[in-house]
Amino acid sequence: YQRRVHGDGRDQNLVEVFEGVIKTCVQLSELVNGGHTTGIMGKQDTQNVQGEQQMKLDVLSHDMMASNLSNCRHLAGMVSEEIDDFIPTQYPQGEYLICFDPLDGSSNLEVNVGVGTIFSILRNPKPEIDKNSFFQNGRQQVASGYCMYGQATVLVISLGGGKGVYGFTLEPKSGQFLLTHPNIRVPEDTSEFAVNMSNRRHWDPPVLRYVVECEAGKEGVRKKDFNMRWIASMVAEVHRVLMRGGLWMYPLDARIKDKGGRLRLLYEVNPMSLIIEEAGGYSSTGFVRVQDIAPISLHQRVPVILGAKNEVQRLESYHAEWKANAQKKKKKKKKKK
């Protein structure tokens, strides 16, 4: 990964930020792969800022990441899923900021399903850091990535700017990440989608329409059969899309509409959207491109639909049609009054 960062004309300062992240990923890989033999599995009697019950490894992974990054001279501040406010470092003049989910999918630890770390690196826009420093849209990311802990530990990164997506696999003996997946691409078309079907009754009509059409297969309007998948771990879901194509979504539904969505923009949706789009895919809320959203809070939630470009844009068109019809009905009601 160092050669990839240097090779794309980036400086040593960015490499040092990456080194703090990578050190954490290697440490977490050992802990996750050790499973119950490490004595750190299971739940804690605490909740994070979102009111979600924390796993022991949630807290430990946050502490490890914050500790490994705190001495980086080029990092001015951090945002973590586990902490309410931003975390300033001792180097407020540092040129970079980082947002991270230290252990995405941690509820799956008990069943040995893939979990991972997600991160987004931003430029520090001003000399005095505050929470507004982090309110940058996805297009302003310097780099993003994730590390998935599973059968193998895989690090996937993008430096943005059309430079592509690269995957590295941890070689356990040396503790180094070796390039194993150069120039990852997501096909524009797919016959595979992933969504939590238990939320079906709460979906908006455009999402329900899309899924019903996929279910109809060759006999329906799509004229082809689709497969469905669901892992309930964002890192594992996105990794599958990168490895073999597909569409994955956690759309807005009636139960979470007042929250804005399910997943967090700064440290889950933005970094994954950069990776997907750099690989040739597309990422949307259904109404707007994710990378164009201007953040308004550190833990802002948004819906997300990402993966095969043509499928995501189909869902966007369904949302646009639904919105237009709703506006027409509203106008008709006003005229009647």
Side-chain angles (χ1 to χ4, degrees):
Y1 79 91
Q2 288 183 336
R3 290 191 193 126
R4 180 57 51 191
V5 174
H6 280 305
D8 281 293
R10 305 304 173 107
D11 56 28
Q12 179 63 28
N13 298 352
L14 180 58
V15 171
E16 287 187 25
V17 178
F18 265 102
E19 285 176 346
V21 174
I22 302 311
K23 181 179 179 181
T24 306
C25 293
V26 173
Q27 292 170 338
L28 280 174
S29 176
E30 294 177 2
L31 291 175
V32 173
N33 290 336
H36 284 276
T37 64
T38 61
I40 56 169
M41 293 296 170
K43 299 175 181 178
Q44 284 215 157
D45 295 326
T46 56
Q47 294 182 333
N48 64 15
V49 63
Q50 285 86 23
E52 300 164 341
Q53 184 166 29
Q54 292 176 307
M55 306 295 285
K56 292 178 182 177
L57 206 48
D58 280 324
V59 177
L60 182 57
S61 60
H62 162 81
D63 291 345
M64 290 166 63
M65 182 74 90
S67 175
N68 288 334
L69 289 170
S70 63
N71 292 322
C72 177
R73 295 168 299 142
H74 309 290
L75 191 68
M78 304 174 252
V79 167
S80 168
E81 181 190 25
E82 305 302 326
I83 300 295
D84 187 16
D85 205 354
F86 74 94
I87 307 165
T89 70
Q90 57 185 313
Y91 303 103
Q93 304 299 318
E95 58 196 288
Y96 296 110
L97 307 170
I98 191 167
C99 305
F100 58 85
D101 181 348
L103 197 63
D104 176 73
S106 58
S107 61
N108 287 311
L109 285 168
E110 295 292 324
V111 292
N112 208 23
V113 170
V115 297
T117 299
I118 309 172
F119 61 93
S120 167
I121 301 174
L122 305 164
R123 288 203 181 276
N124 182 11
K126 52 188 180 180
E128 292 187 11
I129 181 176
D130 58 28
K131 69 178 182 180
N132 295 310
S133 304
F134 295 89
F135 296 164
Q136 303 179 40
N137 66 40
R139 288 179 282 104
Q140 293 173 280
Q141 293 176 100
V142 174
S144 76
Y146 67 84
C147 189
M148 187 175 76
Y149 316 111
Q151 179 187 13
T153 296
V154 179
L155 171 70
V156 175
I157 65 170
S158 176
L159 299 173
K163 296 179 176 65
V165 178
Y166 295 83
F168 304 80
T169 301
L170 180 64
E171 202 287 305
K173 291 182 180 179
S174 67
Q176 293 187 336
F177 281 96
L178 306 179
L179 180 62
T180 51
H181 298 80
N183 196 27
I184 299 170
R185 303 297 296 170
V186 175
E188 292 187 349
D189 296 294
T190 187
S191 57
E192 187 167 277
F193 70 98
V195 66
N196 186 347
M197 292 292 282
S198 70
N199 294 330
R200 184 185 185 119
R201 67 194 183 281
H202 304 295
W203 291 336
D204 285 337
V207 175
L208 184 59
R209 174 186 173 185
Y210 177 82
V211 172
V212 168
E213 288 179 355
C214 291
E215 288 175 327
K218 290 180 180 177
E219 293 74 30
V221 296
R222 300 299 305 274
K223 303 299 182 184
K224 66 177 182 178
D225 290 330
F226 282 78
N227 289 325
M228 197 206 81
R229 298 286 184 267
W230 185 251
I231 305 174
S233 169
M234 188 183 193
V235 167
E237 299 278 9
V238 171
H239 192 68
R240 185 190 60 247
V241 170
L242 288 170
M243 292 299 102
R244 70 183 199 194
L247 175 143
W248 177 79
M249 59 178 163
Y250 209 117
L252 199 61
D253 66 51
R255 296 180 309 164
I256 58 175
K257 194 161 286 188
D258 61 330
K259 295 180 179 179
R262 175 68 179 86
L263 300 169
R264 273 63 58 139
L265 178 63
L266 288 183
Y267 44 80
E268 291 177 329
V269 180
N270 264 350
M272 290 306 205
S273 296
L274 175 64
I275 289 169
I276 287 293
E277 293 199 1
E278 281 288 315
Y282 188 59
S283 180
S284 172
T285 66
F287 294 103
V288 297
R289 181 187 175 210
V290 164
Q291 298 281 281
D292 292 334
I293 299 173
I296 57 174
S297 67
L298 295 178
H299 301 284
Q300 179 178 348
R301 295 175 185 256
V302 294
V304 62
I305 304 165
L306 58 76
K309 187 175 183 178
N310 291 338
E311 292 298 306
V312 178
Q313 290 182 338
R314 175 184 285 269
L315 265 159
E316 271 194 333
S317 71
Y318 289 178
H319 279 82
E321 185 180 326
W322 175 57
K323 184 178 180 180
N325 289 337
Q327 289 173 340
K328 285 179 183 177
K329 288 179 182 177
K330 199 172 181 179
K331 286 180 181 179
K332 284 182 180 179
K333 283 184 180 180
K334 284 184 178 180
K335 285 181 180 180
K336 286 181 180 179
K337 289 181 179 179

